[in-house]
Structures are given as C-alpha cells and as structure tokens.
Amino acid sequence: MWRRRHSRNSNGYLILLLCHLAVHCANSQLQNSCASATDCGAGLYCGNCPELGKNQPFCIRGQATEPTSVISGLPFNKYSWLVTHNAFSIVNAPLLTGPQRITFYNQEDTVTNQLRNGVRGLMLDMYDFENDIWLCHSFRGQCYNFTAFEPAINTLKEVEAFLSANPTEIVTIIIEDYVHTPKGLTRVFTDAGLDKYRFPVSKMPKKGDDWPTVNDMVKKNHRLLVFTSDSSKEAAEGIAYQWRYMVENEPGDPGVVPGACSSRKESKPLNSRSASLFLMNYFPTVAVQNGACKEHSTQLVDTVGACFKAAGNLMPNYVAVNFYMRSDGGGVFDVLDRMNGQTLCGCPTVTACQAGERFGVCRNITAANAAPTATNAAGSFSGSVQLTGHASAIHFSRIIYLFSLSSVILLYLF
C-alpha cells in the first residue's frame, strides 16, 4: 500500500519538496544577527555565508529533527538520515603523529557532537598504520603520518558511548576500507564494544526487500549498521559489502553538478530495485568550509530532486555532506525534514506529519513553525562549534607541497 501511494503521488510530493525551500525553523531567532552561539536559541549556531552575500554572523539551524520521534514503526529504509562525509576529518583535530598535518578537512566538530546534533551516518576511511587501524586521508591507498588523524578505536568508542546512552538510536558506519590485516576490522569493532549493537549481515535484505522496522531494530538492539567497500570482508569478517545493499550516486564534483545524479561506477543503477538503501553523495572533491553554506541552500534541494527522479521516484535514505552545520538558514536539516515529510506522511515537512493519520493528512502549519528546532532525544546542542568565520584556513601551498612530496615518496618506493 505504501509503495502504491508513494508512486501515484510522487510528482506532487516532489513539487512540495521544492516549493518549501523558504520554510525555516520555528525558533524566532533563526537568521537573527549574533556574536556567538549563546546569542541564538536552542539548536542554533552562529554563522555567516559570504558566498551568498551574508557577511554578518546570524543564527542558523544546527540540529536535525529525529523522524522516528514523529512517525515510528516503519521499515528502516523508509527514512532519510544525515551522514557526515569523512566524519573523522575534523578541523583542528589533535596531532598524534608528530609532524604538521597536511591534508583537507571535512567537518568541524567531534563525532560525539555530530551524533548529538542528529547525524546518523558516519563515513570513515580506515587504514593499516602504526601497527593498528587508523582513520586517515591517503595517496594511492597509503596512510602517512602527515595525513593521519587518530586510531579508529577512538572514534568507534565515541559511537559506542552514544549508542549506550541513547538506547533508541540507530547509527550507520560506511567504511572506505584499506585495511588488509586479517580480521583487523573485526578486532577494532570488538575492542570498541560495538559487537552487541551490530545488525547481522545474515538478516540484511539482499533483493531490495524492506528492512525491519526501526522499532524492531531497537527491540533487538540491532542499532549499528556497518558497510565496507571491500567485497571480501563480507565472507571473511561478516561485514556487509556496501554495494550489495545500497545504490549510490557519484561522489565528489560529479555529485554536485546542478540537475544531475548519476550512478557511481561500483554501484548498481540508481533505479535498481535489487538494493533497498540509497546513499546520496553531496560534497565537492575539494572541501571548502565557506563554500558549504551555499552548497547547502538551493543547490542541495535541486540535487535531491534530481536524485529522486534518477532513482525512479525513491527518496535517498542517506545524504552525505561536508561541514554539515553550515548553511544560509535551515540548511541540510530543513531539507531532510522535507524529505522525510514527503516519504513518511506525504506532507511538506516531517513536523506536519500526524501519527496514526492517513498518508497525506497533514497538520495545518505555517512557515513560522514548519520546521521547529530539534526534538530528538539524543542530546542537545553543545555550543562547542562557533561558525563566525574561518574555523581553520586550508593552505593550498601545503597541498601542493603534499602532492610533490607524495610523488617523491612513490618514486622512492617503486
């Protein structure tokens, strides 16, 4: 029944999604001028967006609405979730390997704070390094001490602490996998105490069928989904091979081309019905902090619409972004509210949904309260991120030096 209703009304719902771009949070302080996060209401940050001509700091939305707090009991693959691309690649992260880090950054706050703000998916790049498994950027699959961030277990322990403290939350980890140590991933997840939450691969739908309901996943404590880019790990370690269970559009610059949404080469076609999860990559190849506020405005809505059509009128389940908290107002949080509203209840935003009502029966809301601040029980805005300017400059001279140095290293190695 859900699929039939969704298909029949899909074009109308897409119009609703696009037409409500200007709808923002209920908090009256949204887009008010500010000097610091303390000048803004709960769930808001203080930021600016010079790329859109907004040079003075103003209050912007900083927390997601938990869709399951509005409509619960549906299969996991009916919801849309916020994902942080390279969640570990954090501006001003401590240097643990000695030399100055020379690489790009993708996020601005800790993984713990990302989860508190409603992020429910983490993209992590894992490598063999220093006789351990590390989170790292690399060249040709090799981690160096000037591109390394931290041992993977540190971040995984943050995830474990969050899941332990929030027994109704579900988190997804998507691994770009360069770990060759036998059972290396198994060991690090076990050591982090995450085994008890893992969703068993044997129970994952392999032919595009619906996932269990979120309520069932919580009841069974199957609250951590883990996917790897290495196909051998599914048989060897019981870790799901990503493209067996989800489709994905192209990452990097091809994923942010206006009006386009094409399949990643490793993925099945976006309109395939043999995989029941859809990951939408939405981040440029080179991450630039100030540019993210523009990316997370009209451009993001347009790409969601393009991907919705490319997938045969199915909404992405995951939206992966850089610098997730930067926007011109509502940002990725408003977009996700509209995505979930369309899919879960046929309303312009998830906060218009009414539990127990027929699909398409919405609360009568106005632009002033269409997208209220976060209601998720995972935690509240910590105020630890201040976005009134450049959190950290990217030094392109260092990047050029890094590429030159990597060439020398490769010549030496080979």
Side-chain angles (χ1 to χ4, degrees), residues 252-330:
D253 289 345
V256 294
V257 174
C261 189
S262 55
S263 301
R264 182 172 180 158
K265 64 180 181 179
E266 295 92 343
S267 171
K268 301 169 185 176
L270 296 182
N271 61 0
S272 170
R273 293 296 180 263
S274 60
S276 50
L277 295 174
F278 177 9
L279 167 63
M280 185 185 115
N281 294 301
Y282 184 76
F283 47 83
T285 301
V286 177
V288 179
Q289 287 164 293
N290 276 351
C293 68
K294 182 178 180 180
E295 294 161 12
H296 298 161
S297 57
T298 306
Q299 293 176 227
L300 175 55
V301 176
D302 290 344
T303 300
V304 170
C307 285
F308 178 82
K309 290 180 179 179
N313 293 343
L314 285 181
M315 195 65 74
N317 300 106
Y318 299 107
V319 178
V321 298
N322 292 325
F323 305 118
Y324 73 99
M325 68 284 281
R326 288 187 178 249
S327 77
D328 64 340

Side-chain angles (χ1 to χ4, degrees), residues 134-283:
W134 276 61
L135 302 176
C136 189
H137 287 312
S138 73
F139 292 94
R140 298 188 180 181
Q142 179 70 43
C143 179
Y144 298 100
N145 59 2
F146 51 84
T147 61
F149 281 83
E150 67 175 7
I153 194 170
N154 294 358
T155 291
L156 295 181
K157 283 183 175 180
E158 290 185 74
V159 176
E160 195 285 327
F162 177 81
L163 289 173
S164 177
N166 300 278
T168 63
E169 301 300 327
I170 301 169
V171 173
T172 300
I173 293 177
I174 301 169
I175 304 170
E176 187 172 325
D177 192 346
Y178 298 93
V179 176
H180 303 293
T181 301
K183 304 291 184 181
L185 289 184
T186 298
R187 174 180 54 79
V188 74
F189 276 88
T190 299
D191 290 349
L194 288 171
D195 277 356
K196 58 183 174 291
Y197 302 112
R198 290 262 301 273
F199 192 103
V201 173
S202 61
K203 296 183 180 297
M204 291 184 177
K206 297 178 174 59
K207 297 181 180 180
D209 297 329
D210 282 341
W211 283 66
T213 67
V214 290
N215 293 0
D216 184 62
M217 292 170 68
V218 168
K219 182 179 180 181
K220 295 179 178 178
N221 209 29
H222 293 162
R223 298 189 293 119
L224 178 65
L225 281 63
V226 183
F227 298 96
T228 173
S229 60
D230 184 341
S231 61
S232 70
K233 298 292 175 66
E234 184 159 332
E237 301 190 50
I239 301 173
Y241 178 51
Q242 177 181 347
W243 294 292
R244 189 165 289 141
Y245 304 92
M246 68 175 67
V247 296
E248 178 182 359
N249 69 316
E250 289 191 89
D253 289 345
V256 294
V257 174
C261 189
S262 55
S263 301
R264 182 172 180 158
K265 64 180 181 179
E266 295 92 343
S267 171
K268 301 169 185 176
L270 296 182
N271 61 0
S272 170
R273 293 296 180 263
S274 60
S276 50
L277 295 174
F278 177 9
L279 167 63
M280 185 185 115
N281 294 301
Y282 184 76
F283 47 83

Side-chain angles (χ1 to χ4, degrees), residues 70 341 345 347-354 361-365 370:
V70 183
C345 66
C347 296
T349 175
V350 71
T351 54
C353 296
Q354 300 184 87
V361 178
C362 310
R363 287 198 306 118
N364 185 18
I365 59 175

